[in-house]
């Protein structure tokens, strides 16, 4: 049966265009009930005689509830799915996941093409009304179709739709009524709080007085915002809340061209981190004043907790300290434009992990309690929730979703979604780390797994005869990695040539031979962006068979690789470079320790050892040349845990030891990345994916310079070369001093980022830390998607295959780079959080004394860095709360805190002995405390 | 964009292997020697054939031993709304050429030396698959004009979207940027817009070929129906 849908569409030019679309109405769309006598039941899902049909608003707002196992036997109409897809992509993905979950009985009924339920839009009928009508028509059809065998219930929270449904003889209920009818009161916690248009819950929060004081300014209506944006009085952008000071946010606006600062919750006006907002600028005279105010407001300071020492400026607070702001020369920090939010254009609300604020249990049980939820993510304000199971939740990590935030409430309202586990429990806290950093740790879907080649996989005769693939199985190739490494991305070879030169090869797993553009596997990898390494587990970017077997360049098996092969002179000058797809057979998978031991053992003269020594000699020259060019040998305090294989608890913890063998491998990887960057940029000047490290501004290096000045050390920061030389000269009386200065330098710099070459000019491609004009990532395609992307570019540059279409789409390419940066950053934060978690677990039963270095002076004490454990935290000289008690004063210039009577002082970089112990100031909130010995 | 729902339904309600509704009619232009209207869903093409007749422009006559086939293709202003004006010229010439080559290969031109056959095609509505509709309309019109052909030239498109092969793409599906194949059965495969891996190409090609068979069936029915009517009239 054929229906022509004609509708008018306004073109961009404003003309009305008639569009005719066909709809083919079908008689082979089945109801999905097993009990049905007239339908094909091969794809049926509904087994219970009680069937519910969901309205769009229920799917959109109550998805957390729908995911609960108590909700089942549900018909999801295609019109509902369509509308959900348009309104909220993430809810759409979740409802789709429910529909395809075999454990759930959710049946999709394609009512829009069924001959009896297709509903033609009536004249002057709004899209909304049309959809509502279609939902009622479909429900009525089910009611009639299933006749006496089943009860069909429409669940809707739209008052008008419910009324009409009842009039038309359909049984309809609100979601609250339905949940109550199934007799599981705990489920009521999962209900989203109603918004004004919805039916008010019968037991709605009566404690809210109807006329309460307005806390926030109103949000302007959308029409006014659009007009304001058009006229340039409002500016649009994404709000980013300062991770270290949740009362401060930034909006990067294209129309202003500068970052606008939003100070304080009232100016943020209910916007969340990640929301797309409209803002207006505050009058210029309020710019400075606001700033002073916000710092005063920032009383719950971040430095309060012991945390992992920062590795870069991205890990450290943006505005480092109050002292810096007020004491520096007055003109140093020009007033930055500040503004306030006038409306939210698109919400970035999702669910958050955290726990309830400790509170005493209300008298009597079973009733509804109002609780405040505190997110682990400090950028998120507290969230009010109602719960009937307060007692169970108080000591739990839970997930909470936000529903609304009205002008009368200081905090947004939300609802409880699910428990994660007991606070402090290793499993629970690890899951929190993953959720908080938006790491997808769900198992790979069957569609993704379907893209894998059948196992066991081995190199085929087609691979061998493939003309683009060179057979390098005769070469003596080996890999050097951390012990126990299973995802081996890279392997090396080094042979002496008759002319006295060396042939050196870097062989990288040929991941793109298995991951093809546009497949579910590729989409998933691109979404994940990187593997995530936690202390006790690894969340892979690619499924395990690829990661640990098919792609991994393991010893004694033939594997496909993408090789960079140089001819190098004994002085490590590159004579020539070539790239080829290859087949290799690694003869040894060495650990760094093994490789080092072989090189050091003068009795060994086997080929692998000789090759290693030759490579090491070359690598040392290359490294020296890089350093001479100005590459920074930066330092970070990486720690390593020894984990109990059974309990997964940390047994020992210590600094990660860097050996020559590590540096040797790193050197060749750097060289391969540089060679590949040159090759791809040469061929694809506007669509290459590169990696840059921005030159730090003087402002960023300020903390380092101040510290150095305080101890009488001058650093030249005019170029990376000058800085590198100054760092080399910074030698103190103790051996650790130089490393400490390097660590402090490293944490002043931002991290390197991916970008699309077409988005920047060549001088901006520069990699400051490596002192390289060009850099990219090629050597770890098993665990980084950037490298997969670069493999495709390299292959296309060699004419092996065509460039996938995404490379012709600049905005798309930019968004790929943005996502990679986001995922990369999140992966690092997750790793750091995991280390912090294990540090806490480690010290729980092990009070320890350690040596520490003072890194920052504060008014009531100082911050110390504990090199052995890589952590940093406050040591208080006066008890907290007695700030400025008058016993101590701070000498800004000398970065020193001195006792009033002059008897005692501590200055920056000084060594102190401290005691470390886990304390629990609040039940279930353990924290590491540092005290002076 | 989701072009095929997880339930296996396309945006217009069809399944992957379903063609749009076909309407075909011959003898619609009274002055022409043969004519036809061919519709596939909202795509509608009219074809008129003149000939075989004496060659109009002697200079065009290269070979005397066979008929000269000319093809003119145009698109009604209102047929597409506003969608693709700029590229029209290049597309038009290219399409005319493809259709002319296809039809020429199927007409028994050697039976009609010193003559010329003109095929005029106009797209009245374009909603994807115009190339195929033109070939099908031309075949019907040629048959209507009684021009001897080796076999019926028929055409159908198929594409590959959301990892699914799809038969007979409409405009929305056609503009999705996926690969599509237009298969003309009889003379040769003609064109493919985007790259497909070989095994995918084979399934898409097979699907389009199935489509061609169905269309050929339909065209034969139309022609047989017409023959019956002629016989009936003659008998009366
Ligand atoms: Zn049925």
């Amino acid at each position: 049966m054929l229906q022509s849908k004609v509708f008018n569409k306004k073109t961009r030019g404003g003309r009305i265009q008639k569009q005719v679309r066909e709809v083919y109405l079908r008689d082979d769309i089945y109801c999905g009930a097993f009990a049905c006598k007239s339908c094909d039941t091969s794809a049926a899902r509904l087994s219970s005689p009680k069937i519910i049909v969901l309205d769009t608003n229920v799917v959109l707002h109550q998805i957390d509830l729908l995911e609960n196992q108590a909700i089942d036997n549900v018909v999801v109409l295609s019109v509902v799915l369509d509308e959900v897809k348009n309104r909220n992509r993430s809810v759409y993905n979740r409802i789709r996941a429910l529909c395809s979950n075999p454990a759930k009985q959710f049946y999709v009924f394609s009512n829009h093409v069924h001959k009896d339920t297709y509903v033609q839009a009536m004249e002057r009928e709004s899209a909304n009304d049309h959809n509502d009508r279609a939902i009622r028509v479909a429900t009525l059809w089910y009611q009639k179709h299933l006749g006496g065998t089943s009860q069909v219930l429409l669940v809707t929270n739209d008052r008008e739709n419910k009324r009409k449904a009842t009039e038309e003889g359909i049984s309809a209920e609100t979601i609250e009524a339905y949940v109550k009818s199934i007799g599981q009161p705990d489920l009521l916690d999962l209900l989203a709080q109603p918004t004004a248009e919805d039916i008010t819950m019968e037991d709605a929060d009566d404690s809210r007085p109807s006329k309460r004081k307005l806390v926030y300014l109103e949000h302007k209506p959308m029409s006014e915002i659009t007009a304001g944006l058009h006229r340039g009085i409002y500016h649009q952008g994404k709000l980013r809340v300062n991770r270290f000071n949740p009362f401060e946010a930034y909006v990067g606006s294209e129309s202003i061209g500068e970052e606008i600062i939003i100070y304080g919750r009232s100016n943020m006006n209910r916007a969340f981190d990640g929301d797309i907002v409209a803002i207006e600028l505050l009058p210029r005279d309020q710019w400075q004043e606001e700033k002073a105010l916000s710092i005063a407001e920032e009383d719950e300071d971040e430095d309060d907790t012991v945390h992992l020492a920062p590795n870069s400026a991205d890990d450290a607070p943006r505005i480092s300290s109050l002292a810096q702001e007020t004491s520096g020369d007055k003109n140093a920090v020009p007033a930055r434009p500040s503004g306030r939010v006038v409306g939210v254009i698109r919400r970035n609300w999702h669910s958050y992990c955290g726990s309830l604020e400790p509170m005493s249990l209300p008298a009597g049980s079973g009733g509804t309690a109002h609780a405040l939820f505190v997110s682990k993510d400090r950028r998120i304000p507290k969230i009010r929730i109602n719960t009937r199971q307060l007692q169970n939740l108080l000591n739990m990590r839970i997930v909470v979703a936000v529903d609304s935030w009205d002008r009368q409430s200081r905090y947004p309202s939300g609802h409880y979604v699910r428990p994660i586990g007991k606070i402090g429990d290793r499993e629970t806290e690890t899951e929190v780390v993953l959720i908080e950093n938006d790491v997808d740790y769900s198992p790979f879907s069957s569609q993704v797994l379907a893209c894998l080649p059948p196992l066991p996989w081995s190199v085929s005769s087609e691979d061998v005869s493939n003309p683009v693939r060179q057979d390098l199985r005769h070469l003596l190739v080996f890999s050097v990695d951390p012990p126990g490494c299973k995802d081996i991305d890279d392997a090396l070879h080094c042979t002496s040539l008759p002319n006295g030169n060396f042939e050196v090869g870097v062989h990288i797993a040929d991941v793109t031979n298995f991951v093809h553009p546009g497949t579910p596997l590729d989409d998933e990898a691109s979404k994940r962006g990187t593997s995530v390494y936690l202390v006790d587990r690894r969340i892979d970017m690619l499924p395990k068979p690829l990661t640990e077997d098919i792609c991994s360049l393991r010893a004694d098996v033939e594997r496909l690789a993408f090789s960079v092969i140089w001819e190098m002179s004994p002085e490590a000058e590159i004579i020539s470079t070539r790239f080829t797809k290859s087949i290799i057979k690694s003869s040894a998978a060495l650990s760094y320790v093994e490789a080092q031991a072989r090189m050091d053992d003068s009795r060994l003269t086997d080929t692998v050892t000789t090759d290693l020594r030759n490579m090491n000699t070359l690598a040392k020259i290359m490294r020296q040349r890089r350093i001479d060019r100005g590459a920074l040998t930066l330092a970070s305090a990486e720690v390593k845990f020894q984990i109990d294989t059974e309990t997964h608890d940390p047994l020992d913890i210590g600094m990660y030891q860097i050996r020559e063998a590590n540096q040797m491998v790193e050197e060749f990887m750097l060289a391969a990345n540089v060679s590949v960057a040159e090759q791809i940029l040469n061929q694809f000047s506007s669509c290459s994916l590169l990696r840059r490290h921005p030159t730090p501004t003087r402002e960023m290096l300020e903390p380092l310079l101040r510290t150095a000045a305080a101890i009488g050390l001058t650093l030249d920061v005019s170029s990376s070369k000058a800085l590198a030389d100054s760092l080399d000269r910074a030698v103190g009386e103790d051996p650790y001093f130089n490393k400490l200065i390097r660590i402090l330098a490293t944490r002043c710099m931002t991290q390197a980022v991916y970008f699309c070459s077409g988005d920047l000019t060549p001088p901006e491609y520069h990699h400051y830390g490596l002192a390289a004009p060009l850099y990219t990532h090629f050597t770890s395609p098993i665990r980084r998607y950037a490298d997969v992307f670069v493999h495709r570019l390299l292959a296309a540059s060699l004419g092996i295959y065509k460039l996938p279409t995404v490379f012709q789409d600049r905005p798309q390419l930019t968004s790929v780079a943005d996502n990679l940066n986001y995922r990369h950053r999140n992966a690092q934060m997750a790793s750091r959080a995991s280390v912090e978690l294990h540090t806490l677990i480690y010290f729980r039963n092990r009070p320890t004394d350690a040596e520490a270095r003072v890194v920052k002076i504060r008014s009531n004490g100082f911050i110390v860095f504990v090199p052995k454990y890589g952590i940093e935290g406050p040591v208080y000289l006066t008890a907290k709360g007695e700030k400025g008690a008058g016993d101590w004063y701070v000498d800004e210039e000398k970065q020193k805190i001195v006792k009033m009577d002059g008897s005692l002082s501590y200055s920056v970089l000084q060594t102190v002995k401290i005691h470390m112990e886990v304390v629990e100031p609040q039940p279930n909130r353990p924290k590491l405390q540092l005290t002076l010995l | 964009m989701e072009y095929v729902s997880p339930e296996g339904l396309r945006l217009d309600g069809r399944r992957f292997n379903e063609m749009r509704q076909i309407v075909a009619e011959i003898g619609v232009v009274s002055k022409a020697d043969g004519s036809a209207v061919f519709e596939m869903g909202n795509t509608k093409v009219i074809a008129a054939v003149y000939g075989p007749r004496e060659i109009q422009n002697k200079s065009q006559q290269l070979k005397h031993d066979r008929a000269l086939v000319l093809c003119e293709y145009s698109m009604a202003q209102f047929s597409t709304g506003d969608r693709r004006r700029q590229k029209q010229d290049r597309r038009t010439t290219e399409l005319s050429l493809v259709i002319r080559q296809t039809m020429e290969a199927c007409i028994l031109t050697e039976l009609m030396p010193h003559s010329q056959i003109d095929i005029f095609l106009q797209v009245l509505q374009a909603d994807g698959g115009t190339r195929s509709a033109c070939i099908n309309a031309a075949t019907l019109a040629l048959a209507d004009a009684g021009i001897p052909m080796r076999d019926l030239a028929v055409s159908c498109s198929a594409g590959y979207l959301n990892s699914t092969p799809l038969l007979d793409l409409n405009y929305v599906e056609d503009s999705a940027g996926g690969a599509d194949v237009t298969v003309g059965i009889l003379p040769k495969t003609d064109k493919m817009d985007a790259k497909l891996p070989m095994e995918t190409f084979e399934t898409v090609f097979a699907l389009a070929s199935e489509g061609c068979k169905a269309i050929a069936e339909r065209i034969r029915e139309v022609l047989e129906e017409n023959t019956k009517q002629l016989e009936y009239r003659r008998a009366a």
Side-chain angles (χ1 to χ4, degrees), chain A residues 543-561:
Chain A
K544 210 177 202 132
L546 283 179
T547 308
E548 292 190 356
D549 184 8
I550 300 171
C551 291
S552 181
L553 305 178
R554 296 184 296 135
D556 304 321
V557 287
E558 295 178 351
R559 286 291 175 259
L560 302 180

Side-chain angles (χ1 to χ4, degrees), chain A residues 584-602:
Chain A
I584 59 160
K585 187 174 179 185
S586 168
S587 51
L590 305 171
S591 70
Y592 289 125
V593 185
E594 283 168 338
Q596 191 66 47
R598 276 176 180 249
M599 290 194 280
D600 294 345
D601 186 346
S602 54

Side-chain angles (χ1 to χ4, degrees), chain A residues 244-262:
Chain A
F244 304 95
N245 174 8
F247 300 102
E248 185 177 275
Y250 309 88
V251 174
S253 156
E254 277 179 18
S255 49
I256 291 275
E258 205 179 338
E259 213 168 48
I260 299 157
I261 304 195
I262 319 284

Side-chain angles (χ1 to χ4, degrees), chain A residues 43 51 91 97 110 112 134 140 149 245 287 428 440 453 503 523 525 594 596 602 653 769 831 840:
Chain A
I51 289 170
V91 171
S110 301
H112 71 299
L140 202 58
T149 62
N245 174 8
W287 291 4
T428 305
D440 184 354
E503 183 188 83
D523 291 346
E594 283 168 338
Q596 191 66 47
S602 54
I653 170 175
S831 301
L840 191 69

Side-chain angles (χ1 to χ4, degrees), chain A residues 1-2 4 11 15 17-26 28-29 78 81-82 85 89 92 96 99 108-110 112-113 518-520 802, chain B residues 1-2 5-7 9-15 18-22 40-43 80-83 85 125 127 163 168 170 172 177 195:
Chain A
M1 197 194 291
L2 181 66
S4 269
T11 64
R15 292 192 311 125
Q17 196 176 84
K18 192 172 93 173
Q19 288 199 333
V20 186
R21 272 199 209 150
E22 296 175 299
V23 190
Y24 288 86
L25 299 184
R26 322 190 58 99
D28 62 348
I29 305 283
S78 54
L81 282 171
D82 262 0
K85 184 159 70 175
R89 199 71 210 191
Y92 175 73
R96 269 292 180 194
C99 296
V108 178
F109 181 66
S110 301
H112 71 299
V113 291
T519 56
K802 283 261 185 296
Chain B
M1 179 75 186
E2 198 178 89
S5 74
E7 288 68 49
L9 295 168
R10 294 153 72 172
L11 295 171
D12 59 5
R14 285 182 293 154
R15 294 192 193 277
E18 291 175 347
M19 238 176 324
R20 289 174 288 175
Q21 181 166 309
I22 290 176
M40 303 169 88
N42 279 334
T43 295
T80 58
D82 209 1
R83 291 180 193 128
R85 190 151 294 163
Q125 277 180 184
D127 185 22
S163 312
D168 183 21
N170 66 22
V172 179
K195 308 285 170 290

Side-chain angles (χ1 to χ4, degrees), chain A residues 64-65 67-68 94 186-187 189-191 351-356 373 385 389 392-393 396-401 415-422 427-428 430-432 434-436 439 441-442:
Chain A
D64 292 325
L65 175 74
E67 283 171 348
N68 190 285
R94 288 165 72 183
D186 281 359
L187 285 184
D189 278 12
L190 297 173
L191 283 177
S351 6
Y352 304 95
C353 297
S355 49
L356 297 181
F373 165 86
I385 68 161
Q389 40 185 331
N392 299 336
L393 299 187
M396 300 288 271
R397 288 279 182 216
I398 59 172
V399 176
V400 157
H415 64 272
Y416 161 75
V417 177
R418 67 182 178 92
I420 302 170
K422 208 167 157 286
E427 281 293 320
T428 305
T430 301
E431 200 177 329
V432 169
L434 292 172
I435 299 173
E436 223 198 327
V439 175
Y441 57 98
S442 55

Side-chain angles (χ1 to χ4, degrees), chain A residues 636-689:
Chain A
S636 59
E638 277 189 53
V639 292
K640 186 93 191 121
F641 284 92
Q642 203 188 321
I643 298 287
D644 186 316
T645 44
E646 290 201 352
T647 62
H648 292 279
D649 281 339
L651 289 175
D652 197 10
I653 170 175
M655 299 300 284
Y656 187 77
Q657 201 188 343
I658 308 255
R659 293 181 176 80
E660 256 183 15
N662 298 44
Q663 292 182 339
M664 176 194 88
V665 173
E666 188 196 352
E667 209 53 51
F668 285 107
M669 296 306 136
L670 290 178
N673 287 335
V674 169
S675 288
V676 170
E678 286 164 356
Q679 165 77 8
I680 58 176
L681 189 70
N682 190 21
Q683 292 282 315
F684 308 109
S685 60
S686 64
C687 64
S688 286
L689 183 75

Side-chain angles (χ1 to χ4, degrees), chain A residues 343-459:
Chain A
V344 177
I345 295 166
R346 200 172 68 235
R347 282 290 188 189
N348 182 39
W349 281 348
H350 45 97
S351 6
Y352 304 95
C353 297
S355 49
L356 297 181
E357 204 165 64
M359 61 186 281
S360 51
L361 287 174
S365 64
T368 305
H370 307 288
L372 269 181
F373 165 86
V374 184
S375 171
K376 272 277 275 181
D377 184 343
R378 286 168 44 89
R379 295 171 297 179
I380 306 305
K382 292 176 184 171
I383 300 166
R384 292 156 24 100
I385 68 161
N386 293 340
T387 175
R388 290 155 192 81
Q389 40 185 331
L390 184 64
Q391 188 153 19
N392 299 336
L393 299 187
L394 271 179
N395 293 327
M396 300 288 271
R397 288 279 182 216
I398 59 172
V399 176
V400 157
V402 189
D403 300 323
S404 62
W405 195 349
D406 60 46
R407 294 178 61 194
Q408 294 89 11
S409 333
R410 178 162 300 280
Y411 300 116
S413 318
H415 64 272
Y416 161 75
V417 177
R418 67 182 178 92
I420 302 170
K422 208 167 157 286
I423 295 179
D425 178 61
R426 197 177 45 80
E427 281 293 320
T428 305
E429 298 298 340
T430 301
E431 200 177 329
V432 169
V433 163
L434 292 172
I435 299 173
E436 223 198 327
N437 289 295
D438 198 7
V439 175
D440 184 354
Y441 57 98
S442 55
F444 288 99
S445 70
S446 53
Q447 290 98 310
V448 169
L449 295 174
C451 300
L452 300 182
L455 289 171
W457 178 90
S458 62
V459 170

